[in-house]
Amino acid sequence: MPSIISDVHQKQLDLYTIKELPESHAWKSSSLDDHPSCDSLNVESIPVIDLNDEKFAMDKIGHTCKTWGAFQIINHNISQRLLNDMEDAGKGLFSLPMQQKLKAARSPDGIAGYGVARISSFFSKHMWSEGFTIVGSPLEHARQLWPHDYNKFCDVIEEYENEMEKLAGRLMCLMLGSLGITKDDVKWAIGPSGGCSALQLNSYPACPDPDRAMGLAAHTDSTILTILHQNNTSGLQVFKEGNGWVRVPPLCGALVINVGDLLHILSNGLYPSVLHRAVVNRNRHRLSVAYLYGPPSGVKISPLSKLVDQMNPPMYRPVTWSEYLGTKAKHFDKALSSVRLCAPRIGFANSKDQSGVQVG
Ligand SMILES: C=C1C[C@]23C[C@@]1(O)CC[C@H]2[C@@]12CCC[C@@](C)(C(=O)O1)[C@H]2[C@@H]3C(=O)O
Ligand SMILES: O=C(O)CCC(=O)C(=O)O
Ligand SMILES: [Fe+2]
């Protein structure tokens, strides 16, 4: 039997040592429809957009946000050296012994630290993954993980967060720009405290029975947008209305951009927040790093007035990010509908809570 290391708030199996999938991690086939390694998954994939051509990029981004809610970007100015450093920092963290990782465990009511995915409590089966969440400085947790050698990790995180913040601001302008929204319409997003963010490091160890396991269950992000770096191992899938689950192949140097719930609200439902999940591999260890970008705390997010008129009344009531995160923690996939004022536009992925998509 694999050893279970438990503390008050979590049971974390050491997934690297397990030779057979435990029942606790074996998902029902109904929740794995179209799952993992079967080759029937649709061949179409999310568009790859070159940011070097900003005018063309804006139109393409707008169209892709409406149809997919996700896309990949190249020529984004984040150096391959920094992406590699971030990946190495993640690998270093997850390869520590379990007892060491648990020294930086997320506290029961906390956000930052090591542990299982926050959405785990909504599912009866465990996911085949572990995560580490950083909000602001990772210093305190890094000291617990590497008492004598924490600076390197902190330096990489700081540089990564700074570069990602710039890219997120630029992407938000492109994504909203294509709807006719200018910087004046989102003044809260300008300046040094333009946005709040979190960094989520995800590790998916090689799995003895990948077709019956789930890396990270289907969810939407609560963000404005998410910037995801994945190592050269496949696993990410996005759900497209009418197509089903679609693979997002790793492309060297490219980053995946997801529309999150708050951008769906800002766009008054024009951009669907994309439902996505991560599946696992038999022989390969997968790692991903998500930069979760949201508005500054205190800013109320509601449909932008330029996108609201008599024909298109506001679909959502105003919410702050922290209020929405609380709603998400309580209602998970029903969070958007719990702040909804009127019916969703037809055919959008965010109507999933009525569309029969299995999330658990
Ligand atoms: C800012 C946040 C978004 C997030 C909850 C969190 O407070 C920190 C972790 C984030 C994450 C990453 C994995 C998927 C997700 C649904 C989860 O369980 O934790 C997201 C949360 C979210 O977007 O709601
Ligand atoms: O690992 C992945 O590809 C997905 C990660 C993710 O969805 C997240 O961190 O929110
Ligand atoms: Fe996500």
Side-chain angles (χ1 to χ4, degrees):
M1 270 298 285
S3 59
I4 294 177
I5 299 178
S6 62
D7 62 12
V8 202
H9 58 280
Q10 66 175 0
K11 280 196 169 62
Q12 180 72 57
L13 277 186
D14 190 349
L15 301 174
Y16 299 90
T17 59
I18 299 176
K19 301 280 175 293
E20 206 177 299
L21 191 75
E23 266 316 297
S24 54
H25 289 64
W27 288 55
K28 281 205 300 274
S29 55
S30 60
S31 56
L32 298 171
D33 286 345
D34 281 334
H35 174 260
S37 41
C38 54
D39 285 323
S40 60
L41 281 185
N42 208 302
V43 285
E44 194 185 2
S45 194
I46 62 172
V48 178
I49 299 178
D50 184 343
L51 286 195
N52 264 351
D53 183 351
E54 289 227 346
K55 172 69 189 89
F56 181 71
M58 190 187 281
D59 291 347
K60 197 159 178 200
I61 284 174
H63 179 72
T64 308
C65 284
K66 285 183 181 156
T67 48
W68 285 88
F71 52 94
Q72 302 215 52
I73 53 170
I74 53 172
N75 288 320
H76 40 59
N77 285 344
I78 307 290
S79 70
Q80 192 59 48
R81 194 267 312 152
L82 181 57
L83 295 177
N84 293 344
D85 283 356
M86 186 63 239
E87 211 176 298
D88 290 345
K91 274 187 208 148
L93 191 162
F94 291 116
S95 63
L96 289 171
M98 180 58 82
Q99 292 293 1
Q100 194 64 18
K101 289 186 275 196
L102 285 175
K103 290 186 179 154
R106 191 193 305 128
S107 64
D109 48 0
I111 295 178
Y114 173 78
V116 297
R118 274 169 59 101
I119 55 174
S120 299
S121 58
F122 293 95
F123 299 88
S124 56
K125 295 292 179 175
H126 292 273
M127 298 175 208
W128 194 265
S129 60
E130 53 184 344
F132 185 75
T133 312
I134 299 167
V135 181
S137 167
L139 185 62
E140 205 180 308
H141 282 137
R143 271 205 186 116
Q144 289 158 335
L145 293 167
W146 301 278
H148 308 294
D149 185 19
Y150 49 84
N151 277 333
K152 191 157 179 284
F153 183 82
C154 294
D155 290 348
V156 173
I157 298 298
E158 191 184 341
E159 186 184 358
Y160 196 80
E161 284 179 336
N162 288 340
E163 290 301 306
M164 284 291 143
E165 187 177 0
K166 285 187 243 162
L167 179 59
R170 191 173 160 211
L171 284 165
M172 194 174 76
C173 287
L174 288 166
M175 289 157 111
L176 288 175
S178 107
L179 295 174
I181 305 300
T182 63
K183 287 183 179 160
D184 271 354
D185 300 318
V186 282
K187 289 209 182 73
W188 49 263
I190 317 292
S193 61
C196 273
S197 66
L199 207 56
Q200 173 75 20
L201 280 56
N202 301 299
S203 166
Y204 308 92
C207 175
D209 196 352
D211 291 350
R212 295 201 304 142
M214 179 62 81
L216 187 58
H219 66 279
T220 60
D221 295 338
S222 308
T223 52
I224 290 178
L225 62 92
T226 302
I227 305 175
L228 187 94
H229 166 61
Q230 45 179 344
N231 72 349
N232 63 351
T233 301
S234 63
L236 176 63
Q237 299 178 349
V238 298
F239 188 83
K240 188 172 187 235
E241 213 59 47
N243 289 52
W245 288 105
V246 179
R247 288 196 182 101
V248 181
L251 296 177
C252 184
L255 295 164
V256 181
I257 312 303
N258 289 342
V259 171
D261 294 346
L262 292 190
L263 183 52
H264 171 75
I265 294 177
L266 282 170
S267 71
N268 202 24
L270 287 171
Y271 291 164
S273 59
V274 66
L275 187 66
H276 55 286
R277 67 184 184 184
V279 300
V280 293
N281 298 274
R282 187 177 298 279
N283 299 311
R284 294 180 70 98
H285 176 201
R286 179 165 183 272
L287 199 107
S288 73
V289 180
Y291 178 80
L292 302 140
Y293 178 73
S297 59
V299 169
K300 289 243 182 201
I301 293 298
S302 56
L304 291 160
S305 54
K306 274 189 180 164
L307 306 175
V308 170
D309 58 27
Q310 266 193 328
M311 296 295 288
N312 301 286
M315 285 175 57
Y316 296 93
R317 69 171 175 79
V319 274
T320 62
W321 195 19
S322 62
E323 186 192 343
Y324 189 71
L325 283 170
T327 306
K328 187 83 163 225
K330 203 163 159 201
H331 301 295
F332 183 43
D333 59 325
K334 310 284 186 298
L336 261 182
S337 51
S338 78
V339 294
R340 191 178 286 150
L341 297 170
C342 63
R345 291 165 203 261
I346 291 158
F348 276 2
N350 71 299
S351 58
K352 62 191 171 294
D353 43 15
Q354 286 110 40
S355 72
V357 172
Q358 292 273 335
V359 291

